[in-house]
Amino acid sequence: MVQADGADEGCVTFVLHEEDHTLGNSLRYMVMKNLDVDFCGYSITHPSESKINFRIQTRGGVPAVEPLRRGLNELTDVCQHVLNTFQRRVTEFRSQQEDVMD
């Protein structure tokens, strides 16, 4: 679940529920690569709560939701690439182990 708060659509704090540093830091990195982003950061409100406040400030009238979406999509692509590479290497390793056993 995501909640957004901001009077200016170029400066918005998104509240991401059921998330922590794992998503927060990775997503911050992906969003900061966008040249339209002036600032991106996140905070965890309290250690016992599993939500983060994720703030994006953009320039040039770009709505903050656009870099957020782009960052999420790029992070998904990176994670999928890592998963595919890992699975391919595991399959190759198992194949090599079977050849050694024969």
Side-chain angles (χ1 to χ4, degrees), residues 9-11 30-40 56-64 66-68 70:
E9 64 181 22
C11 184
M30 297 306 278
V31 170
M32 281 303 298
K33 292 184 353 177
N34 188 327
L35 298 177
D36 294 325
V37 175
D38 272 336
F39 173 82
C40 180
I56 300 175
Q57 293 175 327
T58 61
R59 62 175 72 114
V62 176
E66 287 180 20
L68 177 67
R70 182 176 172 186

Side-chain angles (χ1 to χ4, degrees), residues 50-62:
S50 58
K51 69 178 183 178
I52 61 175
N53 293 329
F54 195 85
R55 185 155 183 87
I56 300 175
Q57 293 175 327
T58 61
R59 62 175 72 114
V62 176

Side-chain angles (χ1 to χ4, degrees), residues 59-100:
R59 62 175 72 114
V62 176
V65 72
E66 287 180 20
L68 177 67
R69 282 193 185 122
R70 182 176 172 186
L72 286 167
N73 288 332
E74 290 175 356
L75 186 57
T76 299
D77 292 344
V78 168
C79 290
Q80 190 61 53
H81 173 73
V82 169
L83 180 61
N84 292 342
T85 302
F86 177 77
Q87 289 174 336
R88 188 171 53 251
R89 297 295 185 220
V90 167
T91 302
E92 289 174 9
F93 176 78
R94 287 183 178 157
S95 174
Q96 290 173 356
Q97 294 304 310
E98 289 174 4
D99 291 343
V100 170

